[in-house]
């Protein structure tokens, strides 16, 4: 039974906590949970067992600053008086943050069967958490040596698993843009902890769940002390953040300033408490959120010569291990008395994930339909195909007209279509060898921002940000792609964020290889047979458009809600729209315009969220104009063709 005078009870709790800002203790508005009559996973060349493992395999992260057992025991920040509030991990509740429910038992496996990683059907997701949540088994903290309990963290599926709703059907697919809001989840987690401390009876229920019903009074007191200490530390961190200059740009559903957050995680949070570094202050490295980007789709990415929106990283292991550190895998950068760069990153799992995404060499020759040898194409995670049963059939005449427009207007940057029967995409013209690499990789087009005209904020981060580290972790990055890499650098304590991150992640993986006695040839394989080359330029890459219909919002910063809007001149695109609803528009190919309570307003007039550039309008090309103006009929024909990719 819910208490009818919520404000009175909450005010009483807040007075006990010494807080006079009641509104800060009220949970944020959330969109309503979608009404799902049917859920369907689209076929993308993965088995159900492999998909379920990918959704919950740990990367070694401690994304949420509490033990796993606490997370599954917390109640929602809802005030009740005669009964317990629902659990925070309730799948319907977490779906309101954009997360996809996931079963406890692996689909397709009998109870006694195991997946290829040796886990039985009910062991992959024992507490029925959503896609992207993982339990990291307890380990010794690399900085202190203190034994940590099981940790709760996010894995890459949390950001890169998409779902679109249409008339009660939820279409789900791996590698897509996740429509999630991590900021609101972090806020709610903090409130759940505070409510557990201050509201009557709640801590007792929490202790029973964490410690079991037969726990001792000493165990309960110790748990209470741990909760109190965590809340005090959280309040101190929040106070420090508020005192720092500047304000954060809005992120919200489907968008995150990942690069800035990774930099803060590695060069602020992981350096707090640095020993033997008098005068060093990690907060000098702090940067405000400035350039949110939409979570990128990942199919075929494993074979690109350069990855990230700004084409800044070459090696898959550095990309993926860096992402794990960004979502709070632990690394020792503070204690030179212990092994520096030792971390909790699960390198083996990360490599297995990358192999699942990549598949085998797409250029390997296999017999074609006519008996002649042809490249086999992508064999890992494939782009989803247009679901005609739900969204309607593709019009063949319009599709064929759109193909001509694609060749005229899109192919110069986005390359020939992956699935075109003429196989032009697989010709040597578009594939290249890389320095210190084995095999050939797709040569993605790197388009200067001065040409494409889209928001420069994300590319600016690696070009402009610098960081400082203690002397005992001085950065000694030598670019393997540089002409004189052998003596291209000397150890420094202040350097570019790009070099500092690339070096730190490389050292973390090398430390893991050393401690696990991984032979050099296996290391090369796990690194994707590519060197740790980096670049920071005013460019964005243009990737192939297979499955592009499935990944709204559009542009790298998610500032355009539909592909139809993207084909309009920038002045005619929505100045603002909302993210958080997931109802799909199969005509315009994107999200329906809806600003329900709890959704995120995207203001495209604000730096970092600009919807400029990538324009089709008459006049000279450049400065954001990439092609001639389109008629409405041409736009619809091009959209029809994009459905087929």
């Amino acid at each position: 039974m819910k208490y009818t005078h919520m404000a009175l009870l909450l005010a009483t709790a807040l007075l006990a906590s010494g807080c006079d800002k009641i509104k800060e203790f009220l949970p944020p508005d959330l969109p309503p949970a979608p009404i799902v009559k049917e859920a369907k996973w689209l076929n993308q060349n993965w088995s159900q067992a492999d998909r379920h493992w990918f959704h919950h395999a740990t990367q070694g992260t401690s994304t949420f600053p509490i033990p796993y057992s606490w997370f599954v025991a917390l109640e929602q920040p809802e005030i009740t008086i005669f009964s317990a509030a629902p659990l925070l991990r309730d799948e319907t509740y977490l779906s309101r943050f954009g997360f996809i429910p996931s079963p406890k038992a692996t689909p397709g496996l009998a109870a006694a069967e195991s997946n290829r990683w040796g886990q039985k059907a009910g062991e992959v997701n024992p507490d029925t958490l959503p896609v992207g949540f993982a339990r990291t088994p307890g380990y010794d903290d690399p900085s202190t040596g203190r034994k940590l309990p099981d940790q709760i963290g996010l894995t890459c599926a949390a950001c890169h698993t998409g779902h679109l709703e249409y008339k009660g059907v939820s279409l789900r697919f791996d590698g897509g843009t996740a429509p999630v809001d991590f900021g609101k989840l972090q806020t709610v987690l903090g409130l759940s902890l505070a409510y557990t401390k201050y509201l009557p009876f709640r801590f007792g229920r929490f202790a029973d769940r964490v410690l079991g019903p037969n726990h001792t009074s000493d165990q309960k007191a110790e748990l209470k002390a741990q909760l109190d200490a965590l809340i005090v530390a959280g309040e101190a961190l929040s106070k420090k953040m508020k005192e720092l200059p500047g304000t954060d740009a809005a992120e919200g559903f489907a968008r995150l300033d990942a690069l800035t957050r990774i930099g803060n995680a590695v060069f602020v949070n992981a350096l707090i408490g640095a020993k033997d570094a008098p005068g060093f202050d990690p907060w000098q490295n702090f940067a405000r959120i400035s350039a949110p980007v939409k979570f990128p789709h990942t199919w075929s990415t494993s074979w690109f010569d350069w990855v990230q929106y700004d084409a800044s990283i070459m090696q898959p292991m550095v990309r993926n291990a860096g992402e794990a550190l960004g979502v709070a895998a632990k690394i020792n950068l503070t204690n030179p008395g212990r092994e520096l760069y030792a971390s909790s990153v699960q390198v083996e799992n990360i490599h297995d994930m990358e192999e699942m995404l990549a598949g085998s060499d797409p250029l390997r020759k296999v017999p074609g339909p006519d008996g002649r040898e042809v490249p086999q194409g992508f064999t890992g995670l494939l782009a989803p195909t247009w679901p005609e049963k739900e969204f309607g059939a593709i019009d063949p005449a319009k599709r064929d007209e759109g193909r001509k427009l694609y060749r005229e207007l899109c192919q110069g940057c986005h390359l020939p279509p992956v699935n075109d029967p003429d196989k032009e995409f697989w010709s040597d013209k578009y594939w290249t060898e890389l320095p210190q690499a084995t095999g050939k990789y797709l040569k993605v087009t790197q388009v200067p921002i001065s040409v494409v005209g889209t928001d420069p904020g994300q590319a600016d981060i690696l070009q402009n940000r610098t960081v400082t580290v203690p002397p005992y972790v001085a950065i000694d990055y030598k670019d393997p792609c540089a002409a004189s890499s052998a003596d291209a650098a000397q150890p420094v304590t202040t350097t570019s964020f790009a070099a500092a991150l690339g070096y730190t992640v490389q050292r973390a993986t090398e430390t893991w290889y050393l401690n696990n006695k991984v032979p050099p040839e296996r290391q090369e394989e796990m690194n994707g047979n590519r060197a740790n080359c980096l670049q920071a330029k005013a460019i964005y890459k243009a990737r192939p458009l297979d499955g592009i219909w499935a990944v709204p919002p559009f542009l790298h910063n998610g500032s355009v809600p539909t592909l139809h809007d993207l084909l309009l001149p920038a002045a005619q695109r929505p100045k603002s729209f909302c993210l958080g609803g997931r109802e799909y528009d199969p005509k315009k190919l994107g999200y329906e315009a809806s600003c329900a309570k709890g959704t995120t307003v995207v203001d495209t007039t604000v730096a970092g969220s600009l919807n400029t550039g990538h324009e089709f309008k008459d006049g000279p090309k450049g400065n954001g104009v990439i092609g001639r103006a389109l008629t409405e009929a041409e736009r619809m024909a091009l959209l029809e063709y994009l459905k087929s990719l």
Side-chain angles (χ1 to χ4, degrees):
M1 174 180 175
K2 292 184 179 179
Y3 192 64
T4 56
H5 300 292
M6 291 176 58
L8 178 60
L9 181 58
L10 186 57
T12 302
L14 296 180
L15 287 172
S17 73
C19 178
D20 60 356
K21 295 183 179 179
I22 293 178
K23 64 180 181 180
E24 293 184 3
F25 277 68
L26 294 174
D29 289 332
L30 294 170
I35 299 174
V36 176
K37 300 175 183 176
E38 180 185 7
K40 295 177 61 174
W41 283 94
L42 301 181
N43 180 23
Q44 296 175 268
N45 200 41
W46 278 3
S47 71
Q48 293 183 90
D50 283 358
R51 174 191 291 134
H52 198 235
W53 176 85
F54 187 90
H55 289 172
H56 300 288
T58 179
Q59 294 178 300
T61 60
S62 302
T63 311
F64 307 110
I66 57 174
Y68 180 89
S69 61
W70 288 27
F71 186 86
V72 298
L74 284 171
E75 296 174 13
Q76 296 170 25
E78 173 186 303
I79 298 176
T80 60
I81 191 168
F82 297 120
S83 63
L87 291 178
L88 179 66
R89 63 185 171 98
D90 174 77
E91 67 176 29
T92 301
Y93 183 61
L94 290 180
S95 73
R96 298 176 68 186
F97 297 87
F99 293 103
I100 303 172
S102 182
K104 175 178 180 178
T106 299
L109 281 187
E113 287 185 295
S114 298
N115 62 20
R116 57 188 171 114
W117 292 272
Q119 297 166 301
K120 289 197 164 40
E123 295 175 345
V124 176
N125 187 26
D127 292 290
T128 322
L129 297 179
V131 169
F133 286 68
R135 178 177 61 86
T136 299
Y139 58 87
D140 293 339
D141 187 301
S143 297
T144 66
R146 180 173 62 91
K147 181 68 176 180
L148 297 174
D150 290 358
Q151 302 287 289
I152 174 75
L154 296 177
T155 189
C156 51
C159 301
H160 306 288
T161 309
H163 52 136
L164 303 170
E165 320 296 340
Y166 187 66
K167 296 182 178 180
V169 179
S170 178
L171 298 171
R172 302 169 179 179
F173 46 95
D174 289 290
T177 298
V180 296
D181 189 329
F182 291 118
K184 283 188 174 180
L185 179 60
Q186 289 173 330
T187 298
V188 163
L189 176 61
L191 291 175
S192 290
L193 291 166
Y195 282 30
T196 301
K197 175 179 172 64
Y198 295 119
L199 294 189
F201 311 116
R202 189 165 294 206
F203 179 77
R205 297 193 296 267
F206 175 71
D208 286 344
R209 296 188 191 105
V210 173
L211 301 173
N214 298 320
H215 60 268
T216 66
S217 58
D218 287 345
Q219 289 174 320
K220 186 174 182 179
E222 182 181 359
L223 181 65
K224 182 66 163 58
Q226 292 172 349
L227 175 63
D228 291 347
L230 180 68
I231 289 176
V232 168
E235 289 174 346
L237 182 62
S238 177
K239 183 174 182 292
K240 176 68 176 179
M241 298 273 287
K242 290 177 181 177
E243 291 173 349
L244 294 170
T247 56
D248 291 327
E251 295 173 310
F253 286 96
R255 304 199 317 157
L256 198 77
D257 187 348
L259 267 180
T260 296
R261 286 183 174 274
I262 289 172
N264 289 343
V266 177
F267 297 111
V268 180
N269 298 348
L271 283 169
I272 291 174
K275 299 179 180 179
D276 300 334
F280 173 75
D281 180 9
W283 288 100
Q284 67 188 302
N285 295 328
F286 178 78
R288 288 289 183 188
I289 301 303
S290 61
V293 298
K294 78 164 191 171
F295 301 115
H297 51 293
T298 60
W299 47 80
S300 69
T301 299
S302 300
W303 296 101
F304 296 172
D305 57 350
W306 291 95
V307 296
Q308 308 294 47
Y309 282 119
D310 57 357
S312 56
I313 298 176
M314 181 177 290
Q315 187 189 100
M317 182 56 74
V318 165
R319 175 192 71 208
N320 297 333
E323 173 264 322
L325 290 172
V327 288
K330 295 185 182 296
I331 183 171
N332 179 25
L333 300 178
T334 59
N335 187 358
R338 295 182 59 82
E339 184 177 32
L340 291 171
Y341 301 101
S343 75
S344 64
V345 176
Q346 297 289 313
V347 174
E348 189 77 48
N349 277 1
I350 286 174
H351 169 64
D352 287 351
M353 292 174 184
E354 184 66 25
E355 279 201 325
M356 281 182 59
L357 289 166
S360 59
D361 181 1
L363 298 181
R364 186 173 72 88
K365 296 298 180 64
V366 297
D370 59 0
R372 290 183 297 177
E373 289 196 331
V374 296
Q376 66 174 347
F378 295 125
T379 60
L381 181 68
L382 303 182
T385 56
W386 179 260
E388 292 195 341
K389 179 181 177 183
E390 288 75 26
F391 292 166
I394 296 172
D395 184 307
K398 284 186 178 179
R399 178 199 60 203
D400 292 346
E401 181 62 27
R403 173 65 184 95
K404 297 173 185 176
L405 291 165
Y406 180 93
R407 183 177 290 275
E408 175 195 348
L409 299 168
C410 309
Q411 186 164 308
C413 289
H414 290 286
L415 309 185
V418 172
N419 62 351
D420 222 33
D422 61 15
K423 298 288 184 181
E424 183 183 356
F425 178 84
W426 305 101
S427 68
D428 288 342
K429 176 180 178 181
Y430 301 107
W431 294 77
T432 185
E433 295 180 349
L434 300 174
Q436 299 188 30
T438 302
K440 288 188 174 183
Y441 299 90
L442 185 66
K443 187 165 50 178
V444 293
T445 309
Q446 300 176 28
V447 187
I449 295 175
S450 60
V451 173
V452 72
T454 48
D455 190 299
Q458 201 267 347
D460 285 346
I461 294 172
L462 288 184
Q463 293 184 90
N464 299 329
R465 188 176 181 181
T466 60
V467 296
T468 298
V469 297
Y472 59 80
V473 287
I475 306 303
D476 190 17
Y477 175 71
K478 297 178 175 66
D479 189 344
C481 290
S484 56
S485 60
D487 47 28
Q490 296 296 324
V492 293
T493 55
T494 299
T495 188
S496 72
F497 169 41
L501 183 63
Y503 177 78
T504 302
V505 178
Q506 178 178 308
R507 288 294 305 273
T509 56
E510 288 173 345
T511 300
W512 189 92
Y513 291 146
L514 178 66
N515 291 338
N516 288 274
K517 299 180 172 58
V518 180
E521 60 276 11
R522 175 62 174 163
Q523 293 182 32
E524 290 300 313
E525 179 186 339
M526 294 180 71
N527 287 339
N529 296 307
R530 276 159 277 182
N532 180 22
C533 299
L534 307 172
Q535 63 180 16
K537 299 179 180 179
I539 57 175
Y540 290 123
K541 76 175 192 298
R543 62 172 296 149
L545 296 184
D546 48 327
I548 191 64
W549 59 267
V551 288
F554 298 100
L555 293 183
H556 73 276
N557 60 354
S559 61
V560 181
T562 73
L563 280 173
H564 181 269
D565 293 321
L566 186 59
L567 297 179
L568 293 169
Q572 298 178 34
R573 296 169 185 167
K575 294 294 184 293
S576 68
F577 61 96
C578 292
L579 294 173
R582 299 190 291 275
E583 192 69 15
Y584 190 70
D585 184 339
K587 181 178 179 182
K588 291 187 174 182
L589 306 193
Y591 289 126
E592 284 191 351
S594 173
C595 284
K597 183 178 180 181
T599 55
T600 301
V601 177
V602 180
D603 181 352
T604 67
T605 67
V606 175
S609 297
L610 301 179
N611 66 359
T612 54
H614 202 282
E615 281 192 89
F616 295 94
K617 69 177 185 179
D618 293 331
K621 289 186 180 180
N623 296 318
V625 177
I626 61 169
R628 65 171 176 81
L630 300 171
T631 67
E632 182 62 11
E634 287 177 321
R635 290 187 195 101
M636 299 311 296
L638 188 52
L639 294 180
E640 202 71 10
Y641 179 68
L642 294 177
K643 295 176 184 179
S644 71
L645 300 184

